[in-house]
Amino acid sequence: MPRVPGVRGRLKDTPATGRKRVLLAAPRGYCAGVDRAVVAVEKALERYGAPVYVRKQIVHNVHVVATLEKRGAIFVDEVDEVPTGAHIVFSAHGVAPSVVQAAADRGLRAIDATCPLVTKVHREAVRFARDDYEILLIGHAGHEEVEGTSGEAPEHVTLVNGPDAVDDIVVRDPDRVVWLSQTTLSVDETMETVRRLRERFPHLADPPSDDICYATQNRQVAIKKVAKEADLVIVVGSANSSNSVRLVEVARENGAKAAHRIDYAGEVQQEWLEGVETIGVTSGASVPEVLVRELLDELAGAGYDDVEIVKTAEEDLMFSLPKELRQTASGKQDARAIGGRSR
Ligand code: 0O3
Ligand code: SF4
């Protein structure tokens, strides 16, 4: 957002009854899958030159998408918008096999930036479908990840859009059902959905390991701790970012008196700060840290310059680049082929 040069922020210093402070949640921001996907687009641009096409938003963040667009990425909805022979990157949220096939049929050179933890859920769907299970996929209708996972075995998947949808689910054989989930849901709400599913289907099988990923879980644990002490929680993240929106809900459900989501620091409203002493801050898994720094700067300008980090987990997971990008032009392994720490 535009700022007046030399002025720290546009918010006024409002009187609070006690000490003004910020509790900054950690972990927050980029997860390993997002880091890998964004770096994949950057590397593809470096290696092949602009334009590089990306199917859907590489991650659900307006700033990331705008930044990559400036560097020559072109975001499209479907592969039929891409010229034959061009490079196309599949987003971190994953794609259905039909999309991979459509890209191949069109002669596109695909780079798959699907997060490996999303791919893990795809594999579970394939395996349970092969074993003739009906898969109750907990997730949000229309979300790209859900479309990709369902697309692995459409005739075996039934979408469960949260706890209130459970009563309407119809299954073929109640003794052969398994639940899987989107990776970016609220852990607590998903456990409630599973509890209700199990009430209806006592033989419901569990996924072999958590589908809600480490990053989603860690960010929710951290904001829960912050929310208990916060008059206001601000989550940096975009409106279509499932994990970011969940952080707002989790904050509200766990003690924050108010919680709001913003894309940019300039969206903070003066009235949110009236009488507020403690502001909790976090960011979704698709959010670059620069946006959090801008928010902290803005809050400092309004008197909230005492920042305490509330850390509930260490994260050092990192993923190697998509296989299509692992070799450099000279045939060497790229430095990220065997990883680098996630930012
Ligand atoms: O899935 P979600 O809407 O939260 O997506 P984001 O905001 O791009 O975050 C990254 C998560 C992801 C790629 C799938 O797990
Ligand atoms: Fe992967 Fe989890 Fe990040 Fe999604 S939120 S991209 S599943 S690490």
Side-chain angles (χ1 to χ4, degrees), residues 31-34 92 115-118 145 183-184 211 213-216 243 285 317 319:
C31 60
V34 164
C115 175
L117 299 181
V118 173
E145 182 184 328
T183 57
T184 52
D211 287 343
C213 77
Y214 81 98
T216 301
N243 78 88
L317 182 68
F319 296 126

Side-chain angles (χ1 to χ4, degrees), residues 177-311:
V177 284
V178 60
W179 71 274
L180 300 179
S181 87
Q182 194 178 327
T183 57
T184 52
L185 301 181
S186 151
V187 173
D188 294 339
E189 188 184 272
T190 304
M191 288 308 109
E192 174 59 10
T193 308
V194 172
R195 190 189 65 74
R196 292 203 207 173
L197 282 171
R198 190 156 278 126
E199 254 173 27
R200 286 204 55 207
F201 312 115
H203 294 117
L204 179 73
D206 294 314
S209 60
D210 287 350
D211 287 343
I212 299 180
C213 77
Y214 81 98
T216 301
Q217 296 195 29
N218 285 348
R219 281 149 192 69
Q220 288 175 17
V221 169
I223 201 58
K224 277 185 186 178
K225 189 162 182 200
V226 164
K228 284 185 190 32
E229 295 186 53
D231 302 307
L232 164 69
V233 164
I234 302 176
V235 177
V236 186
S238 289
N240 62 342
S241 166
S242 168
N243 78 88
S244 304
V245 174
R246 302 292 82 77
L247 288 171
V248 177
E249 295 167 358
V250 169
R252 286 185 187 138
E253 285 156 13
N254 288 274
K257 295 194 187 99
H260 300 283
R261 181 200 57 76
I262 57 167
D263 268 300
Y264 290 104
E267 293 164 24
V268 176
Q269 305 293 306
Q270 185 70 46
E271 61 264 27
W272 296 353
L273 307 183
E274 296 300 328
V276 164
E277 286 177 16
T278 302
I279 303 179
V281 168
T282 189
S283 55
S286 47
V287 179
E289 190 61 9
V290 63
L291 300 180
V292 173
R293 284 202 296 274
E294 285 174 8
L295 172 62
L296 295 178
D297 198 15
E298 190 84 1
L299 295 177
Y304 299 88
D305 53 4
D306 171 8
V307 179
E308 193 183 314
I309 295 170
V310 176
K311 186 170 191 166

Side-chain angles (χ1 to χ4, degrees), residues 26-48:
R28 65 180 175 280
Y30 269 21
C31 60
V34 164
D35 185 47
R36 169 185 189 259
V38 173
V39 171
V41 177
E42 290 168 350
K43 291 267 181 215
L45 283 164
E46 263 171 41
R47 188 170 303 179
Y48 309 118

Side-chain angles (χ1 to χ4, degrees), residues 319-342:
F319 296 126
S320 56
L321 283 173
K323 63 179 183 314
E324 301 84 359
L325 292 168
R326 278 180 213 159
Q327 300 287 322
T328 62
S330 60
K332 294 198 185 108
Q333 286 267 300
D334 189 282
R336 272 295 302 259
I338 45 169
R341 289 173 72 90
S342 59

